[in-house]
Amino acid sequence: MPSEFELIERHFSRATPQATLGPGDDCALLTPTPGMSLAVTTDMLVAGTHFLPDTDPGQLGWKTLAVNLSDLAAMGARPRWALLAASLPAADTAWIGAFADGLFACASHYGVDVVGGDTTRGPLNLCLTALGELPAGTALQRNHAVPGDELWVSGQPGLAALGLAQLQGRTQLPAELARRCLDALQRPMARVELGLELRQRGLAHAAIDVSDGLLADLDHILKRSGVAAEVFVAQLPPLPTGVDPLLARQCQLAGGDDYELVFSAPPDKRAEITELAAQLALPLWRFGLVVGTGDSRLRLLDADGQAQAFNERGFDHFG
């Protein structure tokens, strides 16, 4: 059975051209670009909580990095480095090799160097820290939404949650829709380019990625900014066909695991945002409006402007 250091050397020691010193010493050495701020995020993925224990290890490797890069995307940061700490039940070289291949495929796609980390024996738990850069004082933050801003979301929130429902036997999706939903769940795309463009062009005031559910994460923006919002349900992405509409709507509003971006932007940026959607070949949906504080921080309205009741908000680790 290979030792911890043999596993690291075999599967995780690869070239790190963006690092002054990569894996193999007590610390990595990184040199930030002069005048840039570091954006740093960390996330844990725990078997049975964040993914099913029999998840394909290659897809899991991709997702472990992508979900962290999504946080960098939400702030408009360019990803540069990552560190992985992994608790593994056994030194299963086939599983670890496939996981590493998925991890480094994601790293290559987004131009990230994996510069270090740690491994130990224990329940399957993956903790990754990602670092990115952006010019000082330019980060997209949750607390900058203002009344009058329009609310936008990228892609098609809800597909990942439908994919999970399929795996759990809570629905039976048509074959093509099932493929799309499982891809969204198991191989999410961090919207790095969108975040960079929103920041560089000055299009957005506030942004967040959708990890716990569209409404739950939008609520974080509203709370931090001290504002309220109206969500126009009819302007959200169309629900997929071939699935129960109630389940599809629940997944869209409260499912989570999408890693799309929600952002607020002034109305005079609408045309530029529409142009950006075409440039990126990425649908961007204008689905709400930031308003002043009121009786409710978040109101859902139907096509006739009537309030809709919806009690679910999203995932809570301790809820």
Side-chain angles (χ1 to χ4, degrees):
M1 179 179 297
S3 70
E4 171 190 359
F5 302 105
E6 289 170 336
L7 286 173
I8 293 172
E9 179 66 26
R10 181 185 306 175
H11 298 292
F12 296 102
S13 294
R14 308 196 186 187
T16 55
Q18 298 185 88
T20 305
L21 180 66
D25 218 305
D26 289 299
C27 296
L29 298 178
L30 311 176
T31 304
T33 306
M36 303 289 268
S37 291
L38 284 178
V40 184
T41 183
T42 189
D43 265 317
M44 282 192 294
L45 275 70
V46 180
T49 300
H50 301 99
F51 61 91
L52 299 177
D54 61 352
T55 297
D56 175 85
Q59 294 174 326
L60 183 58
W62 176 286
K63 185 171 182 176
T64 299
L65 179 55
V67 301
N68 282 267
L69 300 186
S70 181
D71 286 331
L72 298 181
M75 301 197 80
R78 185 178 300 280
R80 292 202 62 188
W81 305 289
L83 300 98
L84 172 68
S87 169
L88 304 171
D92 183 338
T93 56
W95 191 98
I96 294 170
F99 174 87
D101 286 345
L103 176 76
F104 283 98
C106 186
S108 176
H109 181 83
Y110 290 102
V112 173
D113 283 356
V114 180
V115 296
D118 188 29
T119 59
T120 189
R121 183 187 295 274
L124 184 55
N125 182 3
L126 306 162
C127 183
L128 191 137
T129 298
L131 301 91
E133 290 185 328
L134 71 171
T138 67
L140 299 174
Q141 297 177 216
R142 300 178 183 183
N143 62 340
H144 289 169
V146 297
D149 275 358
E150 295 176 332
L151 294 171
W152 297 76
V153 65
S154 64
Q156 192 166 358
L159 293 187
L162 281 173
L164 179 61
Q166 170 87 357
L167 291 178
Q168 294 175 331
R170 293 186 286 117
T171 188
Q172 185 62 47
L173 303 174
E176 177 58 23
L177 177 59
R179 183 196 61 77
R180 291 174 55 212
C181 291
L182 291 174
D183 281 350
L185 174 67
Q186 297 171 335
R187 195 180 171 89
M189 300 301 296
R191 301 303 187 187
V192 170
E193 192 172 2
L194 173 60
L196 288 171
E197 293 292 340
L198 291 175
R199 175 183 60 76
Q200 291 170 350
R201 300 188 190 190
L203 298 180
H205 284 153
I208 192 170
D209 73 324
V210 181
S211 56
D212 295 329
L214 176 61
L215 297 184
D217 290 310
L218 171 59
D219 196 56
H220 293 317
I221 289 180
L222 304 179
K223 183 177 181 180
R224 291 295 302 274
S225 297
V227 294
E230 294 176 343
V231 170
F232 311 130
V233 176
Q235 293 179 204
L236 286 165
L239 298 178
T241 58
V243 61
D244 174 52
L246 178 59
L247 174 63
R249 185 68 78 191
Q250 289 172 336
C251 289
Q252 183 181 69
L253 295 176
D257 232 10
D258 295 302
Y259 306 102
E260 299 292 351
L261 295 190
V262 169
F263 59 96
S264 78
D268 62 6
K269 301 296 185 182
R270 188 187 302 174
E272 291 181 70
I273 293 170
T274 301
E275 291 173 4
L276 178 60
Q279 175 190 323
L280 299 180
L282 174 65
L284 299 176
W285 307 88
R286 182 170 51 88
F287 73 96
L289 184 68
V290 177
V291 297
T293 55
D295 295 335
S296 174
R297 199 158 59 221
L298 185 56
R299 288 204 309 152
L300 273 64
L301 305 177
D302 64 18
D304 297 320
Q306 300 300 307
Q308 285 192 319
F310 189 82
N311 295 324
E312 295 186 42
R313 282 294 183 265
F315 182 74
D316 182 343
H317 289 89
F318 299 99

